[in-house]
Amino acid sequence: MSLKSQISILSLILLALANGLNAGKIVIYWGQNGNEGTLAETCATRNYEYVIMAFLPTFVPTQTPMINLAGHCDPKSTNGCIALSSDIKFCQSKGIKVLLSLRGDKGSYPLESTQQASLVATYLWNNFLGGNSTSRPLGPAILDGIDFDIEGGSTNQHWSDLARFLKGYNGKKIYITAAPQCPFPDAWLGNALTTGLFDYVWVQFYNNPSCQYISGEISTFEDAWKKWTLDIPVKKIFLGLPASLEAAGSGFIPIDNLTSIVLPTIKGSDKYGGVMLWSRYYDVLSGYSTSIKSYV
């Protein structure tokens, strides 16, 4: 084999390795429909690198914390949701990160002080992460992190305090992620996202016509994407999408448009991380993640 041929083959190998290292990942939200399959079944597809358990909607000290995983388990029953511990460990054994999402959108549970943020962080650490508690809602499994899906409330303060306290624990790495709306800056997490405390941000480019992709017009979406990638000090930004036409009021992108127009527009960014989908139930119906996986 000639030296020129050897160099060409080496170049192709290096290019393939680079593409592999820069390949995007798929994130899925699971937990809000009992017909979406189990957590273990979700991870067994190997379509997702991150699975977000949705949701923990009550968590501030003035309320009794209560997880809500729709039809998957009843947290008020004798055994609650602890049976999910084995599913979580199964996912993690496959290299899949499993996080718990905090849901905030009704105005009745703001973080009212730095002290409250500290108390919430302590509760999350002891009950879902690396701490200890006699009443861990998901059993002994240690989750990989906490996701902030804050879409409302009476204040946008102290979310950065919560992230800072969570990052302060020693031991297994805690991933801190967020799912802001695409209008920039986000009304609820905008300040927190500038701190550099978040590992990944999956921006919801749906239900927001002012910044989501509209067929035949890429510039509005592209401008919004650039704002997020240029102004937020985070490792990776993900394109958040509905997994089917029925999954959101607007913002669904047909597979052809996603793979031929949208992804080529954003994948050149150093901060491109991949695609987040809402949700596993709709992905089961549409097969969206399977269809796009090789393009992400």
Side-chain angles (χ1 to χ4, degrees), residues 256-285:
D256 287 347
N257 286 11
L258 179 69
T259 58
S260 66
I261 301 173
V262 176
L263 288 180
T265 299
I266 65 177
K267 287 187 70 173
S269 168
D270 290 338
K271 286 188 178 179
Y272 169 77
V275 174
M276 175 274 279
L277 296 176
W278 174 267
S279 62
R280 170 62 181 165
Y281 171 70
Y282 293 105
D283 194 32
V284 169
L285 297 180

